[in-house]
């Protein structure tokens, strides 16, 4: 979840501990080495998780599923209890604590800088690209409340009843009848419908494919940019992606559409923060920036990590669609090639 990156380091460590302990057996020493912190720090974190009833120890430390049967539920509880996240949550909903100390706000702003947003101490709200703020609000409602989509959109529409939002640039997308169908289905007026529509698409990928195909039929400028990007990728990797071609194009379409909406690339690569990325993705990112003008101002490393996320998700989806072992092995080989040194090295 994106929220773990808006919490204190201790909360992030504890979330990581839960993830590791969920899948494997580790000693305190091994956990400290993996986390690159001291044994005392890990011991304190584990003890705190035990006191919160998240962990129990029999022969080894393990998650207390009786406390919370759902792993994501455990993560949500940890995140919601984090003071820094609580501070951000207030500002996200225009109810920030204007009496918070400068040092707390400075640390929070430093942490959310990579999202191209900041909290405004005087107004008590988050400042940044409207599309990103609406996306974060929708994601908050999705992650922390059991709303049906209709109820979620109704809640946020009511929140914006006396607030204005700029329209999304029409040149950035071609929605046609699909956007009108969405308006009719959820009863949302423009411009909120446009913001909500893209949230809906990102949680219903079949609909996203339909949107991509409508761009394809219309030969929109965004579709042309996706095709140019696919051509660049083929130049680097030589071989075509076969059955994954449309999936790759749709994921690139999602990325480019997000850039047009003003969303930071960080949203598309949070999974890999702190990880490494192969030279292949830097080569592609450089070519993207050189040949696709709307990406010129993007950070090279952020774009490379976003490409890694795209290839990772396409790889996972492709494996579920392959009809036989031979095809699966071929996809695995290609994916390994993407993550190794570039050709000619």
């Amino acid at each position: 979840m994106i929220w773990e990156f808006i919490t204190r380091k201790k909360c992030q460590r504890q979330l990581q501990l839960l993830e590791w302990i969920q899948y494997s057996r580790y000693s305190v020493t091994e956990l400290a080495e993996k986390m690159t912190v001291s044994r005392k720090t890990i011991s304190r974190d584990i003890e705190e998780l035990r006191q919160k009833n998240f962990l129990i120890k029999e022969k080894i430390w393990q998650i207390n599923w009786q406390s919370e049967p759902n792993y994501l539920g455990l993560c949500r509880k940890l995140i919601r209890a984090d003071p820094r996240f609580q501070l951000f949550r207030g500002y996200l909903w225009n109810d920030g604590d204007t009496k918070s100390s400068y040092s707390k706000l400075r640390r929070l702003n430093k942490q959310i800088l990579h999202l191209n947003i900041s909290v405004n101490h005087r107004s008590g709200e988050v400042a940044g690209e409207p599309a990103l703020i609406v996306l974060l609000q929708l994601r908050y409602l999705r992650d922390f409340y059991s709303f049906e989509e209709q109820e979620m959109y109704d809640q946020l529409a009511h929140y914006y009843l006396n607030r204005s939002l700029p329209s999304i640039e029409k040149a950035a997308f071609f929605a046609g009848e699909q956007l009108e169908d969405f308006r009719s289905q959820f009863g949302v007026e423009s411009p909120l419908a446009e913001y909500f529509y893209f949230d809906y698409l990102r949680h219903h990928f079949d609909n996203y494919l339909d949107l991509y195909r409508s761009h394809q039929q219309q030969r929109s400028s965004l579709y042309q940019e996706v095709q140019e990007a696919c051509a660049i990728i083929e130049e680097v990797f030589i071989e075509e992606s076969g059955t994954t071609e449309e999936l790759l194009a749709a994921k690139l379409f999602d990325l480019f559409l997000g850039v047009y909406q003003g969303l930071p690339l960080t949203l598309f690569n949070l999974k890999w923060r702190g990880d490494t990325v192969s030279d292949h993705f830097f080569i592609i990112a450089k070519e993207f920036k050189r040949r696709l003008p709307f990406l010129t101002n993007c950070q090279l490393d952020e774009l490379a990590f976003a490409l890694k996320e795209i290839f990772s998700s396409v790889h996972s989806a492709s494996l579920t669609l392959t009809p036989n072992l031979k095809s699966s092995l071929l996809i695995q080989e290609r994916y390994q090639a993407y993550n190794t040194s570039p050709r000619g090295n």
Side-chain angles (χ1 to χ4, degrees):
M1 288 189 290
I2 188 174
W3 312 112
E4 67 183 273
F5 300 99
I6 311 177
T7 60
R8 297 175 304 168
K9 287 184 178 180
K10 182 175 76 170
C11 181
Q12 293 178 24
R13 282 198 314 270
Q14 292 178 352
L15 288 166
Q16 184 65 77
L17 285 173
L18 288 177
E19 181 180 346
W20 287 341
I21 291 172
Q22 177 187 199
Y23 294 114
S24 302
R25 299 182 177 186
Y26 292 104
S27 67
V28 171
T29 300
E30 289 171 332
L31 289 169
E33 289 175 353
K34 282 175 69 69
M35 196 80 73
T36 63
V37 295
S38 69
R39 291 183 79 259
K40 286 184 178 180
T41 298
I42 292 296
S43 296
R44 283 196 300 268
D45 286 339
I46 288 176
E47 176 58 22
E48 189 169 320
L49 289 171
R50 185 194 66 78
Q51 290 177 2
K52 291 177 179 177
N53 214 23
F54 287 1
L55 291 180
I56 55 175
K57 187 173 185 180
E58 294 179 355
K59 291 184 178 180
I60 58 169
W61 285 107
Q62 54 188 290
I63 291 178
N64 182 8
W65 296 115
Q66 291 183 343
S67 168
E68 170 58 62
N70 183 281
Y71 170 70
L72 286 178
L74 287 174
C75 295
R76 291 186 185 106
K77 284 182 178 180
L78 260 183
I79 290 170
R80 292 185 79 164
D82 181 77
R84 191 166 298 165
F85 173 75
Q86 292 173 356
L87 182 63
F88 175 78
R89 180 180 60 190
Y91 281 90
L92 180 63
W93 296 103
N94 288 17
D95 191 27
D97 183 1
T98 56
K99 296 181 180 179
S100 295
S101 69
Y102 173 76
S103 60
K104 287 182 179 179
L105 292 175
R106 181 171 55 82
R107 284 193 290 269
L108 174 58
N109 275 329
K110 183 178 180 181
Q111 195 159 353
I112 61 178
L113 180 64
H114 65 279
L115 292 173
N116 296 338
I117 56 176
S118 62
V119 296
N120 188 312
H121 183 256
R122 292 183 178 179
S123 65
E125 61 186 12
V126 172
E129 189 68 38
L132 175 58
I133 294 171
V134 173
L135 182 147
L136 290 173
Q137 290 170 330
L138 285 167
R139 191 167 292 186
Y140 178 87
L141 294 177
R142 282 187 183 276
D143 287 344
F144 295 104
Y145 293 90
S146 301
F147 286 147
E148 297 292 333
E149 283 180 320
Q150 179 70 66
E151 185 179 6
M152 181 180 69
Y153 295 140
D154 288 346
Q155 289 278 348
L156 204 55
H158 184 266
Y159 174 82
Y160 277 100
L161 196 59
N162 296 313
R163 296 179 171 89
S164 60
L165 276 174
S167 295
I168 295 176
E169 184 185 350
K170 292 296 188 293
F173 65 93
F174 175 84
E177 295 179 357
Q178 293 161 313
L179 179 57
E180 293 305 318
D181 290 343
F182 176 83
R183 282 197 183 105
S184 299
Q185 179 181 352
F186 291 101
V188 183
E189 297 300 323
S190 184
L192 273 176
E194 297 157 12
Y195 290 91
F196 293 178
Y197 178 60
F198 290 117
D199 168 80
Y200 178 82
L201 288 177
R202 290 191 171 101
H203 290 85
H204 301 273
F205 194 68
D206 287 345
N207 297 81
Y208 218 115
L209 281 174
D210 290 341
L211 177 63
Y212 168 71
R213 288 164 184 156
S214 71
H215 275 260
Q216 187 178 35
Q217 291 173 357
Q218 297 294 321
R219 309 289 297 179
S220 70
S221 59
L222 185 54
Y223 170 76
Q224 301 287 350
E225 287 162 340
V226 169
Q227 291 305 295
E228 175 68 12
C230 288
I232 293 170
I233 290 171
E234 285 184 15
E235 290 172 13
V236 175
F237 290 127
I238 305 177
E239 297 183 72
E240 295 186 7
S241 51
T243 58
T244 66
E245 188 173 351
E246 187 177 45
L247 283 173
L248 176 61
K251 286 292 185 180
L252 288 169
F253 176 79
D254 179 29
L255 176 68
F256 293 175
L257 192 58
V259 172
Y260 273 116
Q261 287 180 264
L263 303 182
L265 287 176
T266 307
L267 281 180
F268 298 89
N269 62 35
L270 285 170
K271 179 180 177 181
W272 305 106
R273 287 182 67 81
D275 204 346
T276 58
V277 63
S278 83
D279 290 344
H280 273 128
F281 297 117
F282 278 102
I283 291 173
I284 296 171
K286 285 179 182 177
E287 283 301 298
F288 275 17
K289 284 170 63 66
R290 187 175 70 85
R291 289 159 59 174
L292 298 171
F294 75 101
L295 295 177
T296 301
N297 293 328
C298 293
Q299 292 288 331
L300 181 65
D301 57 341
E302 295 282 3
L303 186 53
F305 275 102
L307 287 167
K308 178 173 181 174
E309 169 59 20
I310 286 173
F311 274 79
S312 174
S313 60
V314 169
H315 166 251
S316 299
S318 301
L319 287 176
T320 65
L321 298 173
T322 50
N324 53 54
L325 178 61
K326 184 177 179 180
S327 299
S328 297
L329 290 174
L330 180 59
I331 290 172
Q332 288 281 41
E333 287 175 7
R334 285 176 176 167
Y335 182 67
Q336 290 300 320
Y338 301 154
N339 284 286
T340 55
S341 298
R343 63 183 183 184
N345 278 15

